[in-house]
Amino acid sequence: MEIFNSMTRKKEEFVPVHAGKVSMYACGPTVYNLIHVGNARPIILFDVLRRYFEYRGYEVTFVQNFTDVDDKIIRRANEEGVSTQEIAEKYIAEYFKDAEALGVRHATIHPKATETMPEIIELVQTLVDKGYAYPVPSGDVYYRTLKFNGYGKLSHQPIEDLQSGARIDVNDEKENPLDFALWKAAKPGEPYWDSPWGKGRPGWHIECSAMNRKHLGPTIDIHCGGEDLQFPHHENEIAQSEAANGAPFAKYWMHNGFLNIDNKKMSKSLGNFFTVRDAAAVYGYEPIRFFMLSAHYRTPLNYSAESLQQAQAGLERLYSARENLTFLAKNGEEGQPNEAEQAVLAQAGEYRDRFVAYMDDDFNTADAVSVLFELVRAANKAVGPDQKPTRAGAEALLKLIAEFTDVLGILYDKKEESLDDMVETMIQQRQAARKARNWAEADRIRDELKAMGIVLMDTKQGVQWKKES
Ligand code: AMP
Ligand code: ZN
């Protein structure tokens, strides 16, 4: 398996720190409002990455944090006159509603900053003890950026460039403009924790370093997030973790490209965002997920009505193939799979090899999805109206398709309409159309059923149907 490592900017063979195991960390949301479709991109992609590692037989520990104390949460809590904890808990619950509806599994661990205070404080203390951090009279603690050899190595920025770009604030207590806060002294009205430097709260970067160390150890396999997190967030995580632990922080860095709208990054600050909730009300949740898989994770992806409609149409094709096969698995011929079915099943290994080859090539979901469509087309043909599908054949094809859809985390809609229900519903719709003397609609429904291999018979007892023989 090869992964493009943002650190080396090369595709590298994936070799885990511990054989057979994968430790993954993804920076999670700051919980002060609903997630937008841009935020959903990493959430969905890294869920698929985790599923894929599991499919390949790895034991995966996946950590995704919640930033539950932060300026934005405090502001929101003050606006609403409630505690920061109430805001955070509310939006964590909202996050899970969206994530579950998007088919995103819970991470192995979802740590919160507020539950990691002893470890955060311990990490800051270690950095102070080692001379990588310094407290200032106000009660803040800063990271001494220039002391860390290799600062800028992830974002590939020479330290001189960073220095010339850094803003100098006259009120700063920092030794250097590049230094960043590990611990912030509490201002009136803010939540605080006791620490060796007085009452305060952690900076954003330190929480990820502390959670990584607590839950995954000093060196993890993969650290992931959106590409906007490379600098300064991930650069700072590296500086903190490597200075404190004296070990490499993450073996591989994976960063997703932006979800754009009109070729601009979808973001809260630009105001050009749709919440997942609102987008799902129009297109449904699952098409949002499927849409994210249609492009390579590192390329920009444009959000538009057409692309979401395309995702809807693609999913419909997959669902209808599954419904048809599910019906046939119950109602097909008895006996061994027939020749047409066997011809597709005999190629299972090839479909699998190609699917895996694409996913192994830096997680190319777009081409992996196209292999799934090829398989579904072949399966549809093998059980088409001119064939005599067997239960065993349909069953085996369903299983093969599910192998891929489970990795991609699609077709999770549980309504699982059996073909029987669907045919009954269509017959009722046709009856209603006839009653309304809408002959065109009645004919259209009959033709649609015919295309599915269903023949209608008007009898005294009502409309009966059978599979075309
Ligand atoms: P934020 O809410 O900006 O802190 O972002 C939370 C996560 O969503 C981070 O991993 C970001 O990199 C990611 N993210 C935010 N906006 C986008 C976007 N438009 N496209 C892709 N990822 C994004
Ligand atoms: Zn982080």
Side-chain angles (χ1 to χ4, degrees):
M1 191 184 306
E2 288 200 325
I3 288 178
F4 181 90
N5 189 349
S6 319
M7 176 76 88
T8 57
R9 302 217 172 148
K10 280 199 307 256
K11 276 188 200 171
E12 292 174 17
E13 183 63 28
F14 177 71
V15 184
V17 177
H18 301 288
K21 295 189 174 165
V22 178
S23 52
M24 279 173 63
Y25 185 96
C27 300
T30 302
V31 278
Y32 70 105
N33 56 15
L34 295 176
I35 56 167
H36 63 64
V37 182
N39 303 138
R41 191 172 186 195
I43 292 166
I44 291 164
L45 291 173
F46 299 127
D47 176 66
V48 177
L49 182 66
R50 176 239 197 132
R51 287 167 186 260
Y52 183 63
F53 277 121
E54 289 179 351
Y55 173 68
R56 295 302 306 276
Y58 289 99
E59 186 190 314
V60 182
T61 309
F62 178 36
V63 178
Q64 186 194 291
N65 68 308
F66 287 116
T67 298
D68 63 345
V69 56
D70 151 282
D71 290 341
K72 291 176 222 138
I73 301 174
I74 294 171
R75 202 177 316 131
R76 183 86 197 234
N78 289 341
E79 279 164 16
E80 296 192 15
V82 297
S83 68
T84 51
Q85 201 184 345
E86 262 174 87
I87 293 290
E89 291 305 324
K90 173 175 172 192
Y91 288 103
I92 287 172
E94 298 294 356
Y95 166 85
F96 280 125
K97 275 189 217 161
D98 283 331
E100 280 163 21
L102 288 167
V104 171
R105 286 167 49 197
H106 279 228
T108 320
I109 308 164
H110 279 286
K112 296 175 197 157
T114 56
E115 291 171 355
T116 319
M117 278 312 154
E119 291 83 1
I120 291 173
I121 290 168
E122 191 192 331
L123 184 56
V124 176
Q125 185 64 59
T126 303
L127 290 168
V128 171
D129 293 345
K130 289 190 164 191
Y132 282 98
Y134 55 95
V136 297
S138 65
D140 293 349
V141 181
Y142 290 101
Y143 188 91
R144 192 170 273 133
T145 304
L146 293 183
K147 186 170 164 70
F148 181 70
N149 211 337
Y151 190 78
K153 64 184 174 181
L154 175 66
S155 51
H156 294 250
Q157 303 183 79
I159 197 83
E160 304 76 43
D161 290 6
L162 290 171
Q163 274 182 301
S164 64
R167 258 181 303 151
I168 298 167
D169 186 339
V170 281
N171 296 323
D172 255 349
E173 294 175 285
K174 296 186 217 173
E175 292 175 0
N176 187 290
L178 279 185
D179 295 350
F180 56 91
L182 300 176
W183 188 260
K184 299 174 178 182
K187 298 196 192 80
E190 288 186 354
Y192 62 80
W193 287 261
D194 288 317
S195 81
W197 317 283
K199 297 182 192 318
R201 62 189 167 93
W204 172 37
H205 316 299
I206 196 73
E207 73 177 78
C208 284
S209 282
M211 291 175 191
N212 267 277
R213 182 159 88 163
K214 177 176 180 184
H215 298 289
L216 299 170
T219 303
I220 69 165
D221 287 305
I222 304 177
H223 198 307
C224 27
E227 67 182 21
D228 52 341
L229 298 187
Q230 275 186 26
F231 185 85
H233 184 56
H234 289 164
E235 203 72 71
N236 292 353
E237 283 188 40
I238 293 171
Q240 295 162 159
S241 293
E242 296 194 347
N245 301 333
F249 180 37
K251 266 191 102 173
Y252 305 89
W253 287 87
M254 289 178 81
H255 291 100
N256 65 275
F258 289 143
L259 180 92
N260 290 337
I261 187 156
D262 297 328
N263 299 311
K264 275 199 212 78
K265 181 193 174 195
M266 182 181 283
S267 73
K268 272 167 211 147
S269 53
L270 289 176
N272 60 348
F273 66 91
F274 291 100
T275 63
V276 165
R277 199 70 51 94
D278 286 346
V282 180
Y283 304 107
Y285 277 97
E286 196 174 0
I288 298 174
R289 180 181 183 98
F290 197 46
F291 159 66
M292 298 296 180
L293 305 180
S294 67
H296 191 273
Y297 75 94
R298 284 189 285 118
T299 58
L301 178 60
N302 210 49
Y303 178 85
S304 67
E306 296 79 60
S307 46
L308 268 289
Q309 282 155 2
Q310 250 171 36
Q312 280 178 322
L315 276 173
E316 267 164 37
R317 293 216 305 276
L318 298 177
Y319 268 108
S320 85
R322 188 172 75 175
E323 276 156 15
N324 188 31
L325 287 168
T326 306
F327 171 81
L328 294 170
K330 278 196 225 126
N331 303 295
E333 308 276 328
E334 297 213 21
Q336 293 299 309
N338 65 30
E339 241 174 75
E341 292 158 350
Q342 269 178 19
V344 182
L345 293 167
Q347 286 177 14
E350 281 161 49
Y351 284 112
R352 197 175 284 130
D353 287 349
R354 286 175 54 223
F355 182 86
V356 165
Y358 283 130
M359 293 295 275
D360 271 0
D361 180 12
D362 191 29
F363 192 44
N364 180 350
T365 56
D367 284 323
V369 166
S370 69
V371 175
L372 170 64
F373 273 112
E374 273 179 53
L375 167 63
V376 164
R377 261 197 303 277
N380 280 343
K381 219 165 144 206
V383 301
D386 50 342
Q387 305 284 351
K388 281 194 181 158
T390 67
R391 289 182 213 177
E395 190 73 55
L397 288 168
L398 270 177
K399 226 173 130 194
L400 183 57
I401 291 170
E403 190 176 317
F404 302 151
T405 55
D406 286 352
V407 173
L408 301 170
I410 54 170
L411 303 199
Y412 57 82
D413 194 336
K414 290 288 188 297
K415 69 181 178 303
E416 192 71 35
E417 253 183 352
S418 71
L419 190 66
D420 302 62
D421 293 343
M422 192 165 77
V423 171
E424 296 295 348
T425 309
M426 286 170 74
I427 290 172
Q428 279 166 21
Q429 284 166 349
R430 177 166 169 270
Q431 291 302 88
R434 289 173 65 160
K435 221 169 156 191
R437 310 182 79 77
N438 185 349
W439 311 117
E441 174 66 1
D443 287 350
R444 190 193 63 73
I445 294 172
R446 191 198 52 215
D447 291 347
E448 202 177 309
L449 284 164
K450 186 149 185 277
M452 289 160 51
I454 308 286
V455 204
L456 301 185
M457 294 165 297
D458 289 308
T459 69
K460 281 196 188 122
Q461 289 75 34
V463 181
Q464 287 187 350
W465 63 278
K466 66 167 186 178
K467 279 293 287 176
E468 223 164 13
S469 53

